[in-house]
Structures are given as C-alpha cells and as structure tokens.
Amino acid sequence: RKIASAAMAPHLVGVTRAGGAARAPLEGRGGARRAAAAAHVRVQGEAGARGRSTVARGARGTWPGHARKIDYNKTYYPVKADTDAQEKVWYVIDAEGKTLGRLACLAANYLRGKHLPSFSPSMDVGGYVVVINAGKVGVTGRKATDKMYYYHRVHRPGTMKTETFDKLRERIPERIVERAVRGMLPKGRLGRHLFTHLKVYPGSEHPHDAQKPVE
C-alpha cells in the first residue's frame, strides 16, 4: 500500500510542516486525497498569516489601498451657470432642400445640447435654434399627399379637422417644422421649456441678427 500511494501521488511524498521533518505518505484507502487536503489546509494557513501581516502594515499607513483619496465626483454635472440664457449659442438651420425628419432631429439635438460634452438629459444646456425657409422643407415618397395632420378641440365632438402636408405647407409652413421638432423633445416641463427656444420662419429672413447666430 505504501508503494501504491507513492505511485499515485508522487508530488506529496516528502511534504513537510513549517520547521518540521518530512512525513511519510498516508496509508490506506483515500490516502492521496487526505494528503492533498492536508497540504491545502497548510497553504491556506500560510496565506492567512501573510494577509494578517499585510493588514497590520496597513494600520501603520503603508497599505497602498489608502495611499490616495478617492474622488467620487469625476463625472461632470452641469450647474446653474451652464443653463444661463445669456450665454447660450444661437444656431441657424436652412430648411431648403432638407428632409423634414432629418431637419427636426438636428434641431432637437441643438435644443437639448446633445452635441456638447456637458450634456445632461435633465438640464437645459442646449442653445436656440432658428429655422429659415420652412416653406421649402421636403419629405420623401408620397408623404406630401398622404401625410395627414389632425386637429380638434378638446371635449368638442365632431370638431376634428384633417389637412395634408401640401395644404398645411401652403397655409402655415412653420407649423410643420414645429410639430416635427416638438415630437422629438422630452415630454414634460423640460420639453415645453426647450420648445420655446425654437424659432421657425417661412422665408429666408429672421429678426435675430443681434444674437449673432451660427450657421
């Protein structure tokens, strides 16, 4: 049996205790397994002793885990100064030859401030948007004749009115852009506030030259 145990677990032959002599291989059935378990316990004990000494060193201030102060404010969050209306940038977008959806998406991004590194979804960090030539905005496919706009008075049955894209563009072209942009803004107080920063004009002229808008 001694020979069989040594043949089955040759790496356990001569395992020693700390400061002791070599022990003979364990005998009987499962001797190799018991020897492996004993070796594992000794290794865990040595690791625990090393860990206790490391913690003791940490109490003296040499543990690298407390070598620097942890900064919990790495992520920048906008402050009130970032939402100052006097510091906002004005943007001009020419709607001539542009698709309605892509134009509205671009305007909504500028209104919300998604193009800025300081963007926060709950803050008004965007700028003002001036859309000119709203009467020349286009749509794809057959939306010019198939796209319908609905309007009705609240609690007034039978007052719903329908209008196609072409008819609304001839009558009130700026309303088309306003509806498209409003649908891409947040629903709530923030969205209603951001919508007031949108200025839409049917022609190429606008009265915001004093704000020095960026094209």
Side-chain angles (χ1 to χ4, degrees):
R1 290 184 180 180
K2 293 183 179 180
I3 298 175
S5 300
M8 292 173 59
H11 59 285
L12 298 177
V13 178
V15 176
T16 62
R17 293 178 178 267
R23 294 194 308 168
L26 298 179
E27 300 180 0
R29 298 182 60 184
R33 289 193 297 271
R34 291 195 300 271
H40 178 71
V41 169
R42 286 194 300 275
V43 171
Q44 292 295 327
E46 295 174 0
R50 289 195 298 270
R52 287 191 297 271
S53 62
T54 304
V55 173
R57 289 195 301 271
R60 295 192 296 270
T62 58
W63 189 33
H66 297 309
R68 62 181 177 83
K69 185 178 179 181
I70 299 177
D71 185 11
Y72 293 103
N73 295 321
K74 287 185 177 180
T75 302
Y76 177 77
Y77 191 80
V79 295
K80 187 176 181 180
D82 297 324
T83 63
D84 187 8
Q86 301 297 328
E87 302 296 333
K88 289 185 179 295
V89 181
W90 287 65
Y91 303 94
V92 175
I93 301 178
D94 190 356
E96 183 177 1
K98 289 186 172 59
T99 307
L100 176 61
R102 296 180 182 274
L103 170 69
C105 182
L106 181 63
N109 287 340
Y110 282 136
L111 289 173
R112 297 201 65 190
K114 282 193 171 183
H115 61 291
L116 301 175
S118 60
F119 167 72
S120 180
S122 62
M123 300 284 287
D124 174 23
V125 296
Y128 289 82
V129 175
V130 179
V131 180
I132 59 177
N133 292 324
K136 299 180 182 179
V137 68
V139 289
T140 59
R142 296 181 297 181
K143 297 185 183 71
T145 56
D146 295 351
K147 185 176 177 60
M148 304 296 294
Y149 290 90
Y150 302 91
Y151 170 80
H152 71 91
R153 296 183 180 180
V154 181
H155 307 303
R156 295 288 183 176
T159 60
M160 186 172 68
K161 299 180 181 180
T162 60
E163 197 171 13
T164 62
F165 178 87
D166 279 341
K167 291 183 179 180
L168 184 59
R169 182 168 54 180
E170 294 175 2
R171 190 169 64 91
I172 312 176
E174 55 268 25
R175 184 170 295 178
I176 294 176
V177 179
E178 289 175 353
R179 283 199 174 190
V181 176
R182 182 190 286 270
M184 296 185 181
L185 292 177
K187 309 304 183 288
R189 290 185 297 175
L190 179 61
R192 292 191 295 269
H193 176 69
L194 294 176
F195 184 72
T196 61
H197 297 172
L198 176 67
K199 317 294 180 181
V200 185
Y201 299 96
S204 59
E205 300 295 332
H206 63 84
H208 303 289
D209 292 333
Q211 282 71 30
K212 299 179 181 180
V214 179
E215 295 186 2

